Amino acid sequence: MKDKYERNIDYIRISVTDRCNLRCRYCMPDEQVPVLPDGELLSFEEIERVCRILPKVGIRRIKLTGGEPLMRKDIAELITRLKKVEGIEQVTLTTNGTLLADRIKELEAAGIDGINVSLDTLDPERFGHLTQRRRLEDVLRGIKALQTSDIPRIKLNCVPMEEINGDELARLAALAKDSRLAVRFIEMMPVGNGQQWTMIPEQTVKDRLTAAFGPMTPAKGSFGSGPAAYYMLPGFRSPVGFISAMSHMFCSSCNRIRLTPDGFLKSCLFFGGGTDLKHLLRSGADEELLDAAVRETIWEKPRQHPDGQAEENRKMYQIGG
Ligand code: SAM
Ligand code: SF4
């Protein structure tokens, strides 16, 4: 359905947990973080119930996120269930990759349509510093498993930060050179701890990649249906993409809503507003009421996000990115 600004909303990001086995300093910096008790997380039955309503309002694509979604051990079961929901055309997942190699077969068997791995540095020391865990080898094993899998859409997501990877962007982009892995650069957003880092804007990343590989040209074909713009570098098999919420505000074409792990349906990443679906689900709301609540949330989606710090107190790991 369309919101009141005529944007067509057809995509939802569902965060299945706020727990994570990394501690990326821009997302979940503290060692001890209060996480939701199990009973506060939506159960798979509750998530499935919400997802049965979504196609009725025009939502056809689901991204599972977190926290780290693979921390929910039976996530493949949820994927299997969601793939059976009539009207849902695509179920994909975003992960930090640490648990991927060992789980990839079950995700593939469940019918996952795509997997994004987040990785900001290929240097073990920097990785250890940024994520506060020494798990780079596990992530690289996960990426390798992904590249040799039959999972259709595979992407690597990297957040450029001058302090961590400013001199490494070409090396990261090169992962797309001889592989079917698209590499995307996502501008740091002022949500949670994001503002404490030196964001590298899209144009600077492009300049560094052009200096390393030669001029880039807009990629032909479809590589995703979100806000990323894709380009080919000379001699590359797969594209590099840019998601630039700060330098190229794309609010006018935003197509998404978000469900937090505790069941709050958010209409915009940068604002706290939305609807407590968990309360409705657990207080006996019928399908009609749930449907109306989802429609109301979409309709009330804000026109655009603020320029500076987000008006949202949740951290990124509590939303799902
Ligand atoms: N743990 C999974 C992962 O890392 O892919 C899924 C959740 S994580 C919150 C989703 C994505 O959000 C990651 O790619 C991460 O780099 C990104 N992210 C977290 N905080 C961010 C921020 N302030 N600005 C931009 N991206 C951010
Ligand atoms: Fe965990 Fe992903 Fe946040 Fe890193 S970005 S702390 S992996 S949720």
Side-chain angles (χ1 to χ4, degrees), residues 222-304:
S222 156
F223 300 99
S225 29
Y230 289 94
Y231 297 84
M232 293 307 290
L233 284 158
F236 270 54
R237 178 173 162 198
S238 298
V240 290
F242 298 90
I243 302 180
S244 308
M246 306 319 294
S247 66
H248 295 72
M249 207 191 248
F250 42 71
C251 303
S252 63
S253 57
C254 186
N255 62 348
R256 60 200 54 196
I257 53 175
R258 294 172 163 85
L259 186 62
T260 67
D262 54 345
F264 191 81
L265 189 66
K266 273 175 66 61
S267 56
C268 174
L269 177 60
F270 287 69
F271 290 97
T275 307
D276 186 352
L277 285 189
K278 185 179 74 190
H279 174 73
L280 289 178
L281 286 161
R282 294 186 182 178
S283 57
D286 62 10
E287 306 310 295
E288 208 176 310
L289 202 56
L290 288 169
D291 182 298
V294 175
R295 282 177 198 275
E296 167 83 5
T297 308
I298 292 177
W299 182 253
E300 293 298 334
K301 187 172 163 67
R303 183 197 286 270
Q304 62 182 44

Coordinates of all heavy atoms in Angstrom, one line a residue, residues 222-304:
S222 N 19.3 -5.7 -12.6 CA 18.8 -5.4 -11.2 C 19.5 -6.2 -10.2 O 19.7 -7.5 -10.3 CB 17.3 -5.8 -11.3 OG 16.9 -6.1 -10.0
F223 N 20.0 -5.6 -9.2 CA 20.8 -6.2 -8.1 C 20.1 -6.2 -6.8 O 20.7 -6.7 -5.8 CB 22.2 -5.6 -8.1 CG 23.0 -5.7 -9.3 CD1 23.0 -4.6 -10.2 CD2 23.6 -6.9 -9.7 CE1 23.7 -4.7 -11.4 CE2 24.3 -7.0 -10.9 CZ 24.3 -5.9 -11.8
G224 N 19.0 -5.6 -6.7 CA 18.3 -5.5 -5.4 C 17.2 -4.5 -5.6 O 17.1 -3.8 -6.7
S225 N 16.3 -4.4 -4.6 CA 15.2 -3.5 -4.9 C 15.2 -2.4 -3.8 O 14.1 -1.8 -3.6 CB 13.9 -4.3 -4.9 OG 14.0 -5.4 -4.1
G226 N 16.3 -2.2 -3.1 CA 16.4 -1.1 -2.1 C 16.9 0.1 -2.7 O 16.9 0.3 -3.9
P227 N 17.5 1.0 -1.8 CA 18.0 2.3 -2.2 C 19.4 2.2 -2.8 O 20.0 3.3 -3.1 CB 18.0 3.1 -0.9 CG 18.2 2.0 0.2 CD 17.6 0.8 -0.3
A228 N 20.1 1.1 -2.9 CA 21.5 1.1 -3.4 C 21.5 1.4 -4.9 O 20.7 1.0 -5.7 CB 22.0 -0.3 -3.2
A229 N 22.6 2.2 -5.2 CA 22.9 2.4 -6.6 C 24.2 1.6 -6.9 O 25.1 1.6 -6.1 CB 23.2 3.9 -6.8
Y230 N 24.1 0.9 -8.1 CA 25.2 -0.1 -8.4 C 26.0 0.4 -9.6 O 25.5 0.9 -10.5 CB 24.6 -1.4 -8.7 CG 24.1 -2.1 -7.4 CD1 22.7 -2.0 -7.1 CD2 24.9 -2.9 -6.6 CE1 22.2 -2.6 -6.0 CE2 24.4 -3.5 -5.5 CZ 23.0 -3.3 -5.1 OH 22.5 -4.0 -4.0
Y231 N 27.3 0.1 -9.5 CA 28.3 0.5 -10.5 C 29.2 -0.7 -10.8 O 29.5 -1.5 -9.9 CB 29.1 1.7 -10.1 CG 28.3 2.9 -9.8 CD1 27.7 3.1 -8.6 CD2 28.2 3.9 -10.8 CE1 26.9 4.2 -8.4 CE2 27.4 5.0 -10.6 CZ 26.8 5.2 -9.4 OH 26.0 6.3 -9.1
M232 N 29.7 -0.7 -12.1 CA 30.8 -1.7 -12.4 C 32.1 -1.0 -12.5 O 32.2 0.1 -13.0 CB 30.5 -2.3 -13.8 CG 29.2 -3.2 -13.8 SD 29.1 -4.5 -12.6 CE 30.4 -5.6 -13.1
L233 N 33.1 -1.7 -11.9 CA 34.5 -1.2 -12.1 C 35.2 -2.0 -13.2 O 34.8 -3.2 -13.4 CB 35.2 -1.4 -10.7 CG 34.9 -0.4 -9.7 CD1 35.2 -0.9 -8.3 CD2 35.6 0.9 -9.9
P234 N 36.2 -1.5 -13.8 CA 36.8 -2.2 -15.0 C 37.3 -3.6 -14.6 O 38.0 -3.7 -13.5 CB 37.9 -1.3 -15.4 CG 37.6 0.0 -14.8 CD 36.8 -0.2 -13.6
G235 N 36.9 -4.6 -15.3 CA 37.4 -6.0 -15.1 C 36.7 -6.7 -13.9 O 37.0 -7.8 -13.6
F236 N 35.6 -6.1 -13.3 CA 34.9 -6.7 -12.2 C 33.8 -7.6 -12.7 O 33.1 -7.2 -13.7 CB 34.4 -5.6 -11.3 CG 35.3 -5.2 -10.2 CD1 36.6 -4.7 -10.5 CD2 34.9 -5.2 -8.9 CE1 37.4 -4.3 -9.5 CE2 35.8 -4.8 -7.9 CZ 37.0 -4.4 -8.2
R237 N 33.6 -8.7 -12.0 CA 32.5 -9.6 -12.4 C 31.2 -9.1 -11.7 O 30.1 -9.2 -12.3 CB 32.9 -11.0 -11.8 CG 31.8 -12.0 -12.1 CD 32.3 -13.4 -11.7 NE 31.1 -14.3 -11.5 CZ 31.1 -15.4 -10.9 NH1 32.3 -15.9 -10.3 NH2 30.0 -16.2 -10.7
S238 N 31.3 -8.6 -10.5 CA 30.1 -8.1 -9.7 C 30.2 -6.7 -9.4 O 31.3 -6.1 -9.4 CB 30.0 -8.9 -8.4 OG 29.8 -10.3 -8.7
P239 N 29.1 -6.0 -9.2 CA 29.1 -4.6 -9.0 C 29.5 -4.2 -7.6 O 29.5 -5.0 -6.7 CB 27.6 -4.2 -9.2 CG 26.9 -5.4 -8.8 CD 27.7 -6.6 -9.1
V240 N 29.8 -2.9 -7.5 CA 29.9 -2.3 -6.1 C 28.6 -1.4 -6.0 O 28.2 -0.8 -7.0 CB 31.2 -1.5 -5.9 CG1 32.4 -2.4 -5.8 CG2 31.4 -0.4 -7.0
G241 N 28.1 -1.3 -4.8 CA 26.9 -0.5 -4.6 C 27.1 0.5 -3.5 O 28.0 0.4 -2.6
F242 N 26.2 1.5 -3.5 CA 26.3 2.6 -2.5 C 24.9 2.8 -1.9 O 23.9 2.9 -2.6 CB 26.8 3.8 -3.1 CG 28.2 3.7 -3.6 CD1 28.4 3.3 -5.0 CD2 29.3 3.9 -2.8 CE1 29.7 3.1 -5.5 CE2 30.6 3.7 -3.3 CZ 30.8 3.3 -4.6
I243 N 24.9 2.8 -0.5 CA 23.6 3.1 0.1 C 24.0 4.4 1.0 O 24.7 4.3 2.0 CB 23.1 2.0 1.0 CG1 22.9 0.7 0.1 CG2 21.8 2.4 1.7 CD1 22.4 -0.5 0.9
S244 N 23.4 5.5 0.6 CA 24.0 6.8 1.1 C 22.8 7.6 1.7 O 22.4 8.6 1.1 CB 24.7 7.5 0.0 OG 25.6 6.6 -0.6
A245 N 22.4 7.2 2.9 CA 21.2 7.9 3.5 C 21.6 9.3 3.9 O 20.7 10.1 4.0 CB 20.8 7.1 4.7
M246 N 22.9 9.6 4.1 CA 23.3 10.9 4.5 C 23.5 11.9 3.4 O 23.0 13.0 3.3 CB 24.5 10.8 5.5 CG 24.3 9.9 6.7 SD 22.6 9.9 7.4 CE 22.6 11.5 8.1
S247 N 24.4 11.4 2.4 CA 24.7 12.4 1.3 C 23.7 12.4 0.2 O 23.6 13.3 -0.5 CB 26.1 12.1 0.8 OG 26.1 10.8 0.2
H248 N 22.9 11.3 0.1 CA 21.8 11.3 -0.9 C 20.6 10.9 -0.2 O 20.2 9.7 -0.3 CB 22.1 10.3 -2.0 CG 23.3 10.6 -2.8 ND1 24.6 10.4 -2.4 CD2 23.5 11.0 -4.1 CE1 25.5 10.8 -3.3 NE2 24.8 11.1 -4.4
M249 N 19.9 11.8 0.5 CA 18.7 11.4 1.2 C 17.7 10.7 0.3 O 17.3 11.3 -0.7 CB 18.1 12.6 1.8 CG 17.4 12.3 3.1 SD 16.5 13.8 3.6 CE 17.3 14.2 5.1
F250 N 17.3 9.5 0.6 CA 16.4 8.8 -0.4 C 15.0 8.6 0.3 O 14.3 7.7 -0.1 CB 17.0 7.5 -0.9 CG 17.7 6.6 0.2 CD1 17.0 6.0 1.2 CD2 19.1 6.5 0.2 CE1 17.6 5.3 2.2 CE2 19.7 5.7 1.1 CZ 19.0 5.1 2.1
C251 N 14.7 9.4 1.2 CA 13.4 9.3 1.9 C 12.2 9.3 0.9 O 11.2 8.6 1.2 CB 13.2 10.4 2.9 SG 14.5 10.5 4.2
S252 N 12.3 10.0 -0.1 CA 11.2 10.2 -1.0 C 10.9 8.9 -1.7 O 9.8 8.7 -2.3 CB 11.4 11.3 -2.1 OG 12.5 10.9 -2.9
S253 N 11.8 7.9 -1.8 CA 11.6 6.6 -2.4 C 11.7 5.5 -1.4 O 11.8 4.3 -1.8 CB 12.5 6.4 -3.6 OG 13.9 6.5 -3.1
C254 N 11.6 5.8 -0.1 CA 11.8 4.8 0.9 C 10.6 3.8 0.8 O 9.4 4.2 0.7 CB 11.8 5.4 2.3 SG 12.1 4.2 3.6
N255 N 10.9 2.5 0.9 CA 9.8 1.5 0.6 C 9.6 0.6 1.8 O 9.1 -0.5 1.6 CB 10.2 0.7 -0.6 CG 11.5 -0.1 -0.4 OD1 12.2 0.1 0.5 ND2 11.8 -1.0 -1.3
R256 N 10.1 0.9 3.0 CA 10.2 -0.1 4.0 C 9.6 0.3 5.4 O 9.5 1.5 5.7 CB 11.7 -0.5 4.2 CG 12.6 0.7 4.7 CD 14.0 0.4 4.4 NE 14.2 0.0 3.0 CZ 15.3 -0.6 2.6 NH1 16.3 -0.9 3.4 NH2 15.4 -0.9 1.3
I257 N 9.3 -0.7 6.2 CA 9.0 -0.6 7.6 C 9.9 -1.6 8.3 O 10.5 -2.4 7.7 CB 7.5 -0.8 7.9 CG1 7.0 -2.1 7.3 CG2 6.7 0.4 7.3 CD1 5.5 -2.4 7.7
R258 N 9.8 -1.5 9.7 CA 10.7 -2.4 10.5 C 10.0 -2.9 11.7 O 9.2 -2.2 12.3 CB 11.9 -1.6 11.0 CG 12.8 -1.1 9.9 CD 13.9 -0.2 10.4 NE 15.0 -0.1 9.5 CZ 15.0 0.8 8.4 NH1 14.0 1.6 8.2 NH2 16.1 0.8 7.6
L259 N 10.3 -4.2 12.0 CA 9.7 -4.8 13.2 C 10.8 -5.1 14.2 O 11.8 -5.8 13.8 CB 8.9 -6.1 12.8 CG 8.2 -6.8 13.9 CD1 7.0 -5.9 14.5 CD2 7.6 -8.1 13.4
T260 N 10.8 -4.5 15.4 CA 11.9 -4.8 16.3 C 11.7 -6.2 17.0 O 10.6 -6.8 16.9 CB 11.8 -3.7 17.4 OG1 10.7 -3.9 18.2 CG2 11.9 -2.3 16.9
P261 N 12.7 -6.7 17.6 CA 12.6 -8.0 18.2 C 11.5 -8.1 19.3 O 11.0 -9.2 19.5 CB 14.0 -8.3 18.8 CG 14.8 -7.0 18.7 CD 14.1 -6.1 17.8
D262 N 11.2 -7.0 19.9 CA 10.1 -7.1 20.9 C 8.8 -6.6 20.3 O 7.8 -6.2 21.0 CB 10.4 -6.3 22.1 CG 10.8 -4.8 21.8 OD1 11.1 -4.5 20.7 OD2 10.8 -4.0 22.8
G263 N 8.7 -6.7 18.9 CA 7.4 -6.6 18.3 C 6.9 -5.2 18.1 O 5.6 -5.0 18.0
F264 N 7.7 -4.2 18.0 CA 7.3 -2.8 17.8 C 7.4 -2.5 16.3 O 8.5 -2.7 15.7 CB 8.1 -1.8 18.6 CG 7.5 -0.4 18.6 CD1 6.5 -0.1 19.4 CD2 8.0 0.6 17.7 CE1 6.0 1.2 19.4 CE2 7.5 1.8 17.7 CZ 6.5 2.2 18.6
L265 N 6.4 -2.1 15.6 CA 6.4 -1.9 14.2 C 6.8 -0.4 14.0 O 6.1 0.5 14.3 CB 5.0 -2.2 13.6 CG 5.0 -2.2 12.0 CD1 5.8 -3.3 11.5 CD2 3.6 -2.3 11.5
K266 N 8.0 -0.2 13.4 CA 8.5 1.1 13.2 C 8.3 1.6 11.8 O 8.6 0.8 10.8 CB 10.0 1.1 13.4 CG 10.4 1.3 14.9 CD 12.0 1.1 15.0 CE 12.7 2.2 14.3 NZ 12.5 3.6 14.8
S267 N 7.9 2.8 11.6 CA 7.7 3.3 10.2 C 9.0 4.0 9.6 O 9.1 4.1 8.4 CB 6.5 4.2 10.2 OG 6.7 5.3 11.1
C268 N 9.9 4.4 10.5 CA 11.1 5.0 10.0 C 12.3 4.7 10.9 O 12.1 4.7 12.2 CB 10.9 6.6 9.9 SG 12.4 7.5 9.5
L269 N 13.4 4.4 10.4 CA 14.6 4.1 11.2 C 15.0 5.2 12.2 O 15.4 5.0 13.3 CB 15.8 3.8 10.2 CG 17.2 3.5 10.9 CD1 17.1 2.3 11.7 CD2 18.2 3.4 9.8
F270 N 14.8 6.5 11.7 CA 15.3 7.6 12.5 C 14.3 8.1 13.5 O 14.6 9.0 14.3 CB 15.6 8.7 11.5 CG 16.9 8.5 10.7 CD1 16.9 7.5 9.7 CD2 18.0 9.2 11.0 CE1 18.1 7.3 9.0 CE2 19.2 9.0 10.2 CZ 19.2 8.0 9.2
F271 N 13.1 7.7 13.5 CA 12.1 8.2 14.5 C 11.6 7.0 15.4 O 11.5 5.9 14.9 CB 10.8 8.8 13.8 CG 11.1 10.1 13.1 CD1 11.4 10.1 11.8 CD2 11.1 11.3 13.8 CE1 11.7 11.3 11.1 CE2 11.4 12.5 13.2 CZ 11.7 12.5 11.8
G272 N 11.2 7.3 16.6 CA 10.7 6.3 17.5 C 9.3 5.8 17.3 O 8.8 4.8 17.9
G273 N 8.5 6.5 16.4 CA 7.1 6.2 16.3 C 6.7 4.9 15.7 O 7.5 4.3 14.9
G274 N 5.5 4.4 15.9 CA 5.1 3.2 15.4 C 4.0 2.5 16.2 O 3.3 3.2 17.0
T275 N 3.9 1.2 16.2 CA 2.8 0.5 16.9 C 3.3 -0.7 17.6 O 4.1 -1.4 17.1 CB 1.7 0.0 15.8 OG1 1.3 1.2 15.1 CG2 0.5 -0.5 16.5
D276 N 2.9 -0.9 18.8 CA 3.3 -2.0 19.6 C 2.4 -3.2 19.2 O 1.4 -3.5 19.8 CB 3.1 -1.7 21.1 CG 3.6 -2.8 22.0 OD1 4.0 -3.9 21.5 OD2 3.7 -2.6 23.2
L277 N 3.0 -4.0 18.2 CA 2.2 -5.1 17.7 C 2.2 -6.3 18.7 O 1.3 -7.0 18.8 CB 2.8 -5.6 16.4 CG 2.5 -4.8 15.1 CD1 3.0 -5.6 13.9 CD2 1.1 -4.4 15.0
K278 N 3.3 -6.4 19.5 CA 3.3 -7.5 20.5 C 2.2 -7.3 21.5 O 1.5 -8.3 21.8 CB 4.7 -7.4 21.2 CG 4.8 -8.6 22.2 CD 6.1 -8.6 22.9 CE 6.1 -7.6 24.0 NZ 7.4 -7.4 24.6
H279 N 1.9 -6.1 21.9 CA 0.8 -5.9 22.8 C -0.5 -6.4 22.2 O -1.3 -7.1 22.8 CB 0.8 -4.4 23.2 CG -0.4 -4.1 24.1 ND1 -0.5 -4.5 25.4 CD2 -1.6 -3.5 23.8 CE1 -1.7 -4.2 25.9 NE2 -2.4 -3.5 24.9
L280 N -0.7 -6.0 20.9 CA -1.9 -6.4 20.2 C -2.0 -7.9 20.1 O -3.0 -8.5 20.4 CB -2.0 -5.7 18.8 CG -2.2 -4.2 18.8 CD1 -2.2 -3.7 17.4 CD2 -3.5 -3.9 19.5
L281 N -0.8 -8.5 19.7 CA -0.8 -10.0 19.5 C -1.1 -10.7 20.8 O -1.8 -11.7 20.8 CB 0.6 -10.4 19.0 CG 1.0 -10.1 17.6 CD1 2.5 -10.1 17.4 CD2 0.3 -11.0 16.6
R282 N -0.6 -10.1 21.9 CA -0.8 -10.9 23.2 C -2.0 -10.5 24.0 O -2.2 -10.9 25.1 CB 0.5 -10.7 24.0 CG 1.7 -11.3 23.3 CD 3.0 -11.3 24.2 NE 4.0 -11.9 23.4 CZ 5.3 -12.1 23.8 NH1 5.6 -11.7 25.0 NH2 6.2 -12.7 23.0
S283 N -2.8 -9.5 23.4 CA -4.0 -9.2 24.1 C -5.2 -9.6 23.3 O -6.3 -9.0 23.4 CB -4.0 -7.7 24.4 OG -3.9 -6.9 23.2
G284 N -5.0 -10.6 22.4 CA -6.1 -11.2 21.7 C -6.6 -10.5 20.5 O -7.8 -10.7 20.0
A285 N -5.8 -9.6 19.9 CA -6.3 -8.9 18.7 C -6.6 -9.8 17.6 O -5.8 -10.8 17.4 CB -5.2 -7.8 18.3
D286 N -7.6 -9.6 16.8 CA -7.9 -10.5 15.7 C -7.2 -9.9 14.4 O -6.6 -8.9 14.5 CB -9.4 -10.7 15.5 CG -10.1 -9.3 15.2 OD1 -9.4 -8.3 14.9 OD2 -11.3 -9.3 15.2
E287 N -7.3 -10.7 13.3 CA -6.6 -10.3 12.1 C -7.0 -8.9 11.7 O -6.1 -8.1 11.2 CB -6.9 -11.3 11.0 CG -6.7 -12.7 11.3 CD -5.3 -13.0 11.9 OE1 -4.3 -12.8 11.2 OE2 -5.2 -13.4 13.1
E288 N -8.3 -8.6 11.8 CA -8.8 -7.3 11.3 C -8.1 -6.1 12.1 O -7.6 -5.1 11.5 CB -10.3 -7.2 11.6 CG -11.0 -6.3 10.6 CD -12.5 -6.4 10.9 OE1 -13.0 -7.5 11.0 OE2 -13.1 -5.3 11.1
L289 N -7.9 -6.3 13.4 CA -7.3 -5.3 14.2 C -5.8 -5.1 13.9 O -5.2 -4.0 13.7 CB -7.5 -5.6 15.7 CG -7.3 -4.5 16.7 CD1 -8.3 -3.4 16.4 CD2 -7.6 -5.0 18.1
L290 N -5.1 -6.3 13.7 CA -3.7 -6.3 13.3 C -3.5 -5.6 12.0 O -2.6 -4.8 11.8 CB -3.2 -7.7 13.3 CG -3.0 -8.4 14.7 CD1 -2.7 -9.9 14.5 CD2 -1.9 -7.7 15.5
D291 N -4.4 -6.0 11.0 CA -4.3 -5.4 9.7 C -4.4 -3.9 9.8 O -3.6 -3.1 9.2 CB -5.4 -6.1 8.9 CG -5.4 -5.6 7.4 OD1 -5.6 -4.4 7.2 OD2 -5.3 -6.4 6.5
A292 N -5.4 -3.4 10.6 CA -5.6 -2.0 10.7 C -4.4 -1.3 11.3 O -4.0 -0.2 10.9 CB -6.9 -1.7 11.5
A293 N -3.8 -2.0 12.3 CA -2.6 -1.4 13.0 C -1.4 -1.2 12.0 O -0.7 -0.2 12.0 CB -2.2 -2.2 14.2
V294 N -1.2 -2.3 11.2 CA -0.1 -2.2 10.2 C -0.4 -1.1 9.2 O 0.5 -0.3 8.9 CB 0.0 -3.6 9.5 CG1 1.1 -3.5 8.4 CG2 0.4 -4.7 10.4
R295 N -1.6 -1.0 8.7 CA -2.0 0.0 7.7 C -1.8 1.4 8.3 O -1.3 2.3 7.7 CB -3.5 -0.1 7.3 CG -3.7 -1.2 6.3 CD -5.1 -1.4 5.9 NE -5.3 -2.7 5.3 CZ -5.1 -2.9 4.1 NH1 -4.8 -1.9 3.2 NH2 -5.3 -4.1 3.6
E296 N -2.2 1.6 9.6 CA -2.1 2.9 10.2 C -0.6 3.3 10.3 O -0.2 4.5 10.1 CB -2.7 2.8 11.6 CG -2.5 3.9 12.6 CD -3.4 5.1 12.4 OE1 -4.3 5.0 11.5 OE2 -3.1 6.1 13.0
T297 N 0.3 2.3 10.7 CA 1.7 2.6 10.8 C 2.3 3.0 9.5 O 3.1 4.0 9.4 CB 2.4 1.4 11.4 OG1 1.7 0.9 12.6 CG2 3.9 1.7 11.7
I298 N 1.9 2.3 8.5 CA 2.5 2.7 7.1 C 2.0 4.1 6.7 O 2.7 4.9 6.3 CB 2.0 1.6 6.1 CG1 2.7 0.3 6.4 CG2 2.3 2.1 4.7 CD1 2.3 -0.9 5.5
W299 N 0.7 4.3 6.9 CA 0.1 5.6 6.5 C 0.8 6.8 7.2 O 1.1 7.8 6.6 CB -1.4 5.6 6.8 CG -2.1 6.9 6.4 CD1 -2.5 7.9 7.2 CD2 -2.3 7.3 5.1 NE1 -3.1 8.8 6.4 CE2 -3.0 8.5 5.1 CE3 -2.1 6.7 3.8 CZ2 -3.4 9.2 4.0 CZ3 -2.5 7.3 2.7 CH2 -3.1 8.6 2.8
E300 N 1.2 6.6 8.5 CA 1.8 7.6 9.3 C 3.3 7.7 9.1 O 4.0 8.5 9.8 CB 1.5 7.4 10.7 CG 0.0 7.6 11.1 CD -0.5 9.0 10.8 OE1 0.3 10.0 10.8 OE2 -1.7 9.2 10.5
K301 N 3.9 7.0 8.2 CA 5.4 7.0 8.0 C 5.8 8.5 7.7 O 5.2 9.2 6.9 CB 5.7 6.2 6.8 CG 7.2 5.9 6.5 CD 7.4 4.9 5.4 CE 8.7 4.9 4.8 NZ 9.8 4.5 5.7
P302 N 6.8 9.0 8.5 CA 7.2 10.4 8.3 C 7.7 10.6 6.9 O 8.3 9.7 6.2 CB 8.4 10.5 9.3 CG 8.2 9.4 10.3 CD 7.6 8.3 9.5
R303 N 7.6 11.9 6.5 CA 8.1 12.3 5.1 C 9.6 12.1 4.9 O 10.0 11.5 3.9 CB 7.7 13.7 4.9 CG 8.1 14.2 3.5 CD 8.1 15.7 3.4 NE 6.8 16.3 3.4 CZ 6.0 16.5 2.3 NH1 6.5 16.3 1.2 NH2 4.9 17.1 2.5
Q304 N 10.4 12.5 5.9 CA 11.8 12.3 5.8 C 12.5 12.3 7.2 O 11.9 12.8 8.1 CB 12.4 13.4 4.9 CG 12.2 14.8 5.4 CD 12.8 15.8 4.4 OE1 12.6 15.7 3.2 NE2 13.6 16.7 4.9

